[in-house]
Amino acid sequence: MPIIQPPAQPTQLGQLRTFISLFLPICLVLLIIGGMHYYTFYATEHSSIESEESLNVDLAQRMIQEDIADVVKDLRFLAEHIETQGLPEALPWTREQRIAEEFRVFAKNKGLYDQIRYLDANGMEIVRVNYNDGNVEVVPYVELQNKASRYYFREALAQEPGGIYISRFDLNVENGKIEEPFKPVIRFGTPVVDHSGNKKGIVLINYLGARLIDNFSRAAASIASHLELLNSDGYWLSSPKHENEWGFMLDSNIRFQNENPLAWQQIAQTENGQFETPEGLFTFTTVYPLQAALSALPGMSDYISVHEQQFPRWKIVSHIPHSQIASTFPLFLKNNGSLYLSMFLLVLVGTGFLARTTYLHRIAEAQRDYEQRFRHTLENIDLAAVALNRQGRVTFCNNHFLDITGWERDDVIGKNWIKKFVVDEDQEQVSGIIRKMDTPQSFPSHLELQVKTRDGEPRLITWNNTLSYDSKGEVIGVTGIGEDITEMRRTESELLKLYQAVEQSPSSVVITNPQGDIEYVNPKFTEVSGYSAEEVIGRNPRLLKSGETSREEYSNLWDTIRNGGEWRGEFHNRRKNGELFWEAAAISAIRDNEGNITSILAVKEDITEKKRLEKEVEKQNRELALAETMAAMGRMASMIAHDLRNPLSSVKMTLQILDKKADPAVSADTNELCHISLERIRYMEEILSDMLSYSRPDALKPEWIPIDKVIDLSIGMSQRRRHKKKITLHTQYHSGLPTIYADATKLRQVFSNLIANAFQATIDSDSPQVSIEAMIELGHEGTNVRIDICDNGCGIDAEDQKRMFEPFFTTRAKGTGLGLAIVKRILDQHQANIYVSDNKPAGTCISVILPINPATQNPKTESQDHEQDPYR
């Protein structure tokens, strides 16, 4: 509970504060009243604008309808006049003269029509009367034109007798060009029939569109500045911006919907209405010119009701931007500004007087009850309270201070604060602070100080100091309100130690909220993952996932944590740069006093190197075991070769001698038996040779060699078998093949074995084929040479593909099963890879990938082997 300083003597600043505290609320009330007044004024004006816009749009609509109705009546009058006088059946000369005279008189009296024409059924103008600014002219016969190709002639002639055709509202075209200056026209047409009802032609009136637009604008003169007339496609027929008009005639795409897309959606789909969008206030209605025309004729109401949806239409649109609607505010100020200014001045003066009176009264009351409230407040606060006079002696202390220090009240009141309660090392500092009472502006309001207790154990207390003043405004002492922070500082110290330990920990430490969002990571995390703290704070640890940990493991992790346990396990995560690494993690929940999870702590150790060493040891153990096996096999092979080769050589020599000395009478049988025996002996020699070659591999003798030459030599070693089996061989060496650093002899052994196997696999094929292709391939460790050997033979089962490089594994009746094992051993010596895949539609493909220079290649990692080897 804060200590309230006794009020000082009235000052200009204090009065100003009181004035502001009263003036601002009253001004706010006045502002609210003004706002409500303006809102009412605005709503009234807005409603008036909407009503005026709707009224003027309706007037414009009625004016257009009346103009069109008048034209239609004139058109029917001329057509019926021609029909009743029988002019369609009259002689051409008589017909033309009489119609021309009728049209001339009519055009001169009306003064509304640019042209009045009579066209026969073939579209030829029979009579045309032009009205040019009051001059009526009958066009000579030689200047008359045939209009059979024009749309308005065809559509007018197609009308039923008595029917009315109204063209679109466009610009007049003469001799295929738009007439200049622009002359907007609407063409009205109706068929002319003889006494038998046969169509003889049409009467066509070109109504001056400028008159319709002028009448349209005059009818809504008060809104003419923002009144627009649109056709059904949104092109302007009339606009305050004349450059926007007649876009459809001038091949321009300037349309209403381009400038007001939101408004056009509603205008195009609705007959009439009024609405507001961010673009302003829109009032609109729809005019159906043909409907207005037919309404002027008796007996056409049924036709209108049936074909109403098919009538062409125009849109009358009034558009007021919001800026014009908002212009009501200056008008409001003009009408009411003086009233509100007077009220503001009255409030200003009244508030100043009231502030002065209120402030003085408040100071007087505060002075009377200060002493009572001061003592009561200090006794009831849950903080230490001590009052000192200017000499530094204690004049007051509350019970909370006595509870903290263990002193009795008699041991405190009247004692010198510095000598009795301040520890030795702080006494000089506190003496200087007490002397600063003479300069209140420099007196510290906050201080942390160790206070002696009865048992001699100092307590650290943080003090908030308030100077005390007498009625004259002079300092008479200081009151300190203090809080014992001894335990808090001890806890902070422990936390700081713990924080420093975590910051310097050799293990990664991650703390998340209960939802798994990261709140803290230590520097070791940044070192291991590559992510800075700023990059991960607020994100989920799943950003480290490599995708190798299953959902079941994560589910087990969360179940363990929620059940109060500690989950321990390993993660295969991904660093920021994409590298994979292993972590051993211990994850547990941090709970509050009520058992609720507040945070989740993960302590993780980078065990990538440990994993690598384990794999290296495992690999070395495998290689040691294999070496021991191969050594034993080598000793066995050497023993077998030593014990069998000499006897086999003797038997082989004996058989060769017998073959040469055989009795001619039995030479056929003897030769056959000798050949069979010699073949078996050679087979046994091959087995001994393969066993010795596999168990005791020779060291490489690398040199820079062209791979295509090696393959060609290997093919030559199998030519006899190829020609014998009639096998078709295709070779393709891509251009730019580099030389490689390898043992040519051993690679010839590899490719000879693989090519021989490919030839062997095509024995049962109707059209045996083998293809060999060599190309450059870019791999993870650098540039390689890839050789594909494909056949169309019987293929290899998936299970056999996995075992085909194992020693002594074979699917043939004859064979040691060491050929491909030797191939694999030689390729391993060259740090090369070999893969097996199916050849579509039949057969097998063997792919050998040789590094250009094995000495510069890095050892393959587990993840790279997995990516390169499709059978893992």
Side-chain angles (χ1 to χ4, degrees):
M1 183 179 297
I3 300 299
I4 302 175
Q5 178 178 316
Q9 293 299 316
T11 62
Q12 293 296 326
L13 180 60
Q15 293 183 53
L16 178 61
R17 289 174 178 172
T18 304
F19 170 76
I20 292 174
S21 66
L22 294 172
F23 179 71
L24 290 182
I26 296 175
C27 285
L28 180 61
V29 172
L30 185 62
L31 184 63
I32 293 173
I33 293 173
M36 295 174 64
H37 187 186
Y38 172 69
Y39 177 77
T40 304
F41 179 83
Y42 172 81
T44 302
E45 287 296 315
H46 194 277
S47 177
S48 175
I49 291 173
E50 291 179 346
S51 300
E52 183 180 359
E53 294 296 308
S54 298
L55 176 62
N56 280 276
V57 167
D58 289 341
L59 288 174
Q61 179 191 31
R62 286 200 294 270
M63 178 57 69
I64 291 176
Q65 292 174 337
E66 290 174 1
D67 280 2
I68 292 175
D70 290 342
V71 175
V72 170
K73 291 177 182 178
D74 290 344
L75 178 67
R76 287 305 307 155
F77 168 78
L78 290 175
E80 291 175 357
H81 187 71
I82 292 173
E83 291 172 353
T84 55
Q85 293 189 10
L87 294 180
E89 295 94 344
L91 294 173
W93 176 253
T94 302
R95 177 187 61 186
E96 294 165 7
Q97 277 191 328
R98 292 181 61 185
I99 292 177
E101 183 61 22
E102 295 284 351
F103 284 2
R104 187 186 66 78
V105 173
F106 188 83
K108 183 175 182 180
N109 290 333
K110 286 289 184 178
L112 304 177
Y113 307 118
D114 180 54
Q115 293 181 355
I116 304 177
R117 290 179 282 179
Y118 175 73
L119 290 79
D120 64 17
N122 296 318
M124 185 65 196
E125 293 180 337
I126 304 302
V127 176
R128 184 173 77 191
V129 175
N130 293 340
Y131 182 82
N132 298 317
D133 298 328
N135 297 321
V136 179
E137 175 189 4
V138 179
V139 177
Y141 174 79
V142 294
E143 296 181 12
L144 297 178
Q145 303 175 28
N146 190 299
K147 301 294 184 179
S149 61
R150 297 305 299 272
Y151 68 92
Y152 53 80
F153 168 75
R154 296 194 301 270
E155 295 186 21
L157 188 64
Q159 300 293 319
E160 294 295 328
I164 298 297
Y165 164 73
I166 299 180
S167 74
R168 66 181 184 179
F169 194 177
D170 58 12
L171 300 176
N172 191 48
V173 177
E174 290 294 340
N175 298 317
K177 293 184 179 180
I178 297 175
E179 185 176 354
E180 293 187 0
F182 293 159
K183 184 182 289 184
V185 296
I186 306 176
R187 300 170 184 83
F188 293 79
T190 186
V192 175
V193 298
D194 57 16
H195 290 92
S196 301
N198 299 318
K199 296 179 184 178
K200 292 298 185 179
I202 64 169
V203 174
L204 196 66
I205 293 178
N206 284 16
Y207 177 58
L208 289 171
R211 171 182 169 79
L212 183 142
I213 292 174
D214 290 342
N215 291 341
F216 158 79
S217 299
R218 283 197 299 273
S222 61
I223 65 170
S225 63
H226 53 268
L227 189 64
E228 303 167 318
L229 181 64
L230 313 172
N231 66 12
S232 58
D233 295 324
Y235 289 100
W236 276 284
L237 304 177
S238 174
S239 171
K241 298 179 181 178
H242 297 300
E243 63 272 14
N244 291 343
E245 298 173 344
W246 312 111
F248 64 96
M249 293 290 292
L250 304 175
D251 294 329
S252 170
N253 196 35
I254 300 177
R255 292 197 282 179
F256 180 87
Q257 54 265 46
N258 295 341
E259 296 186 7
N260 307 283
L262 295 177
W264 178 251
Q265 292 181 5
Q266 189 165 346
I267 291 172
Q269 298 172 4
T270 312
E271 291 292 315
N272 52 65
Q274 190 174 65
F275 60 90
E276 286 191 55
T277 71
E279 300 156 354
L281 174 67
F282 292 88
T283 307
F284 69 97
T285 189
T286 306
V287 177
Y288 293 93
L290 184 56
Q291 182 178 350
L294 297 177
S295 299
L297 301 178
M300 299 301 292
S301 58
D302 293 340
Y303 182 86
I304 292 173
S305 62
V306 172
H307 298 84
E308 185 172 0
Q309 298 300 323
Q310 302 176 5
F311 292 151
R313 61 181 181 174
W314 300 336
K315 294 285 184 178
I316 300 174
V317 180
S318 164
H319 175 204
I320 303 180
H322 282 299
S323 57
Q324 295 184 19
I325 300 175
S327 62
T328 55
F329 185 69
L331 179 61
F332 174 80
L333 288 180
K334 180 180 178 182
N335 295 340
N336 304 281
S338 58
L339 171 63
Y340 281 100
L341 180 60
S342 300
M343 295 175 64
F344 176 79
L345 294 175
L346 180 62
V347 169
L348 183 66
V349 174
T351 305
F353 177 77
L354 183 61
R356 176 67 178 173
T357 304
T358 302
Y359 183 72
L360 293 177
H361 179 70
R362 184 182 300 147
I363 293 296
E365 287 185 343
Q367 284 291 108
R368 286 195 300 268
D369 65 0
Y370 173 68
E371 289 295 331
Q372 298 176 358
R373 290 190 298 110
F374 178 76
R375 296 290 180 177
H376 178 74
T377 300
L378 294 184
E379 286 293 350
N380 289 280
I381 61 175
D382 196 21
L383 297 169
V386 176
L388 307 179
N389 61 19
R390 294 195 56 165
Q391 290 73 40
R393 294 189 176 277
V394 180
T395 59
F396 169 81
C397 70
N398 66 355
N399 292 329
H400 192 80
F401 175 78
L402 299 176
D403 293 339
I404 292 175
T405 60
W407 296 105
E408 297 294 334
R409 192 175 299 273
D410 293 339
D411 298 328
V412 178
I413 300 299
K415 299 299 187 293
N416 187 288
W417 173 258
I418 298 175
K419 295 180 180 180
K420 182 76 173 180
F421 302 104
V422 179
V423 297
D424 296 341
E425 58 267 25
D426 293 338
Q427 287 184 1
E428 183 177 352
Q429 176 190 2
V430 176
S431 296
I433 292 174
I434 290 177
R435 287 194 294 270
K436 288 183 179 179
M437 289 188 194
D438 296 332
T439 55
Q441 62 274 13
S442 63
F443 193 85
S445 60
H446 181 76
L447 178 67
E448 286 189 9
L449 189 66
Q450 293 192 76
V451 176
K452 295 178 182 178
T453 62
R454 178 181 284 274
D455 59 11
E457 183 71 23
R459 306 293 293 182
L460 182 63
I461 299 178
T462 177
W463 297 97
N464 289 298
N465 304 316
T466 304
L467 293 174
S468 301
Y469 298 84
D470 60 14
S471 59
K472 297 179 181 180
E474 296 181 357
V475 177
I476 60 175
V478 62
T479 301
I481 308 298
E483 180 182 5
D484 186 358
I485 60 172
T486 307
E487 297 301 330
M488 183 176 72
R489 286 289 185 265
R490 186 177 294 118
T491 302
E492 288 178 354
S493 177
E494 294 297 327
L495 288 176
L496 179 60
K497 294 177 183 177
L498 178 60
Y499 173 76
Q500 292 175 343
V502 172
E503 283 285 294
Q504 300 171 12
S505 172
S507 299
S508 297
V509 178
V510 180
I511 300 177
T512 73
N513 61 19
Q515 291 73 40
D517 299 324
I518 296 175
E519 296 178 336
Y520 168 82
V521 295
N522 69 342
K524 187 63 178 181
F525 172 89
T526 299
E527 177 186 339
V528 172
S529 69
Y531 289 97
S532 66
E534 292 76 12
E535 291 177 304
V536 299
I537 297 298
R539 299 180 65 182
N540 194 284
R542 69 171 63 95
L543 65 90
L544 300 176
K545 287 176 59 176
S546 65
E548 297 187 16
T549 305
S550 66
R551 289 180 176 271
E552 291 73 15
E553 290 182 78
Y554 283 116
S555 177
N556 177 51
L557 183 155
W558 282 105
D559 289 342
T560 302
I561 293 174
R562 292 191 183 101
N563 292 330
E566 180 184 58
W567 183 88
R568 291 182 177 272
E570 295 179 353
F571 292 117
H572 202 186
N573 285 336
R574 190 180 300 276
R575 292 188 173 94
K576 181 179 179 180
N577 62 7
E579 294 181 359
L580 295 175
F581 69 101
W582 284 95
E583 285 187 312
I587 304 176
S588 59
I590 301 174
R591 300 176 183 270
D592 58 19
N593 295 332
E594 298 178 356
N596 299 318
I597 296 177
T598 60
S599 302
I600 297 174
L601 172 66
V603 180
K604 302 184 290 182
E605 180 183 359
D606 185 358
I607 58 171
T608 307
E609 184 63 18
K610 177 182 176 183
K611 284 277 190 180
R612 188 190 69 79
L613 292 176
E614 288 177 353
K615 290 181 180 178
E616 186 67 25
V617 170
E618 182 181 352
K619 178 182 177 182
Q620 290 178 358
N621 289 337
R622 288 198 304 267
E623 290 178 351
L624 181 60
L626 180 60
E628 292 175 352
T629 302
M630 298 309 300
M633 182 177 175
R635 291 192 296 270
M636 181 185 69
S638 298
M639 181 189 68
I640 293 173
H642 180 271
D643 292 341
L644 292 182
R645 270 187 169 175
N646 290 334
L648 285 175
S649 297
S650 300
V651 173
K652 181 179 179 181
M653 184 181 301
T654 303
L655 290 173
Q656 290 174 343
I657 294 172
L658 289 174
D659 184 29
K660 293 178 180 180
K661 294 183 178 181
D663 188 345
V666 291
S667 61
D669 293 336
T670 302
N671 286 339
E672 182 179 357
L673 291 173
C674 287
H675 289 162
I676 292 173
S677 298
L678 287 171
E679 182 181 351
R680 293 299 178 182
I681 289 172
R682 280 193 295 270
Y683 176 59
M684 293 174 70
E685 288 177 337
E686 288 177 5
I687 292 175
L688 291 175
S689 177
D690 286 346
M691 289 178 66
L692 289 173
S693 176
Y694 182 74
S695 61
R696 294 186 300 181
D698 298 331
L700 294 180
K701 297 178 181 178
E703 58 182 327
W704 290 100
I705 57 174
I707 190 62
D708 50 347
K709 300 302 182 183
V710 174
I711 297 174
D712 286 339
L713 289 174
S714 301
I715 293 172
M717 296 171 66
S718 302
Q719 285 287 24
R720 185 177 60 84
R721 179 178 296 179
R722 172 193 166 196
H723 293 308
K724 180 179 179 182
K725 302 297 183 181
K726 298 181 179 180
I727 298 171
T728 302
L729 177 65
H730 301 282
T731 59
Q732 181 181 2
Y733 304 134
H734 290 206
S735 60
L737 286 177
T739 57
I740 65 174
Y741 193 66
D743 188 323
T745 302
K746 287 187 175 294
L747 286 188
R748 281 198 300 272
Q749 183 179 357
V750 168
F751 291 118
S752 297
N753 196 316
L754 296 178
I755 293 171
N757 286 348
F759 288 166
Q760 181 68 27
T762 60
I763 290 177
D764 298 328
S765 178
D766 295 335
S767 177
Q769 295 184 12
V770 174
S771 65
I772 301 174
E773 182 178 6
M775 67 197 79
I776 296 176
E777 182 180 85
L778 297 178
H780 290 284
E781 289 82 23
T783 305
N784 303 316
V785 175
R786 179 189 181 106
I787 301 93
D788 291 337
I789 303 173
C790 301
D791 62 70
N792 64 343
C794 58
I796 303 173
D797 294 338
E799 292 299 323
D800 292 342
Q801 288 181 10
K802 296 178 182 179
R803 300 186 57 198
M804 59 189 297
F805 296 108
E806 295 178 3
F808 306 110
F809 175 79
T810 180
T811 58
R812 300 176 184 171
K814 294 172 60 177
T816 64
L818 290 174
L820 289 178
I822 294 172
V823 167
K824 186 68 167 64
R825 170 62 65 84
I826 294 173
L827 292 178
D828 286 343
Q829 287 180 294
H830 285 83
Q831 297 184 23
N833 291 310
I834 183 168
Y835 303 125
V836 185
S837 59
D838 294 332
N839 186 26
K840 304 299 182 181
T844 304
C845 277
I846 303 292
S847 299
V848 176
I849 299 177
L850 290 164
I852 293 178
N853 187 358
T856 63
Q857 303 287 56
N858 296 324
K860 299 188 290 292
T861 65
E862 178 188 359
S863 61
Q864 291 168 340
D865 281 342
H866 182 71
E867 292 172 359
Q868 293 178 0
D869 189 347
Y871 298 103
R872 288 205 38 157

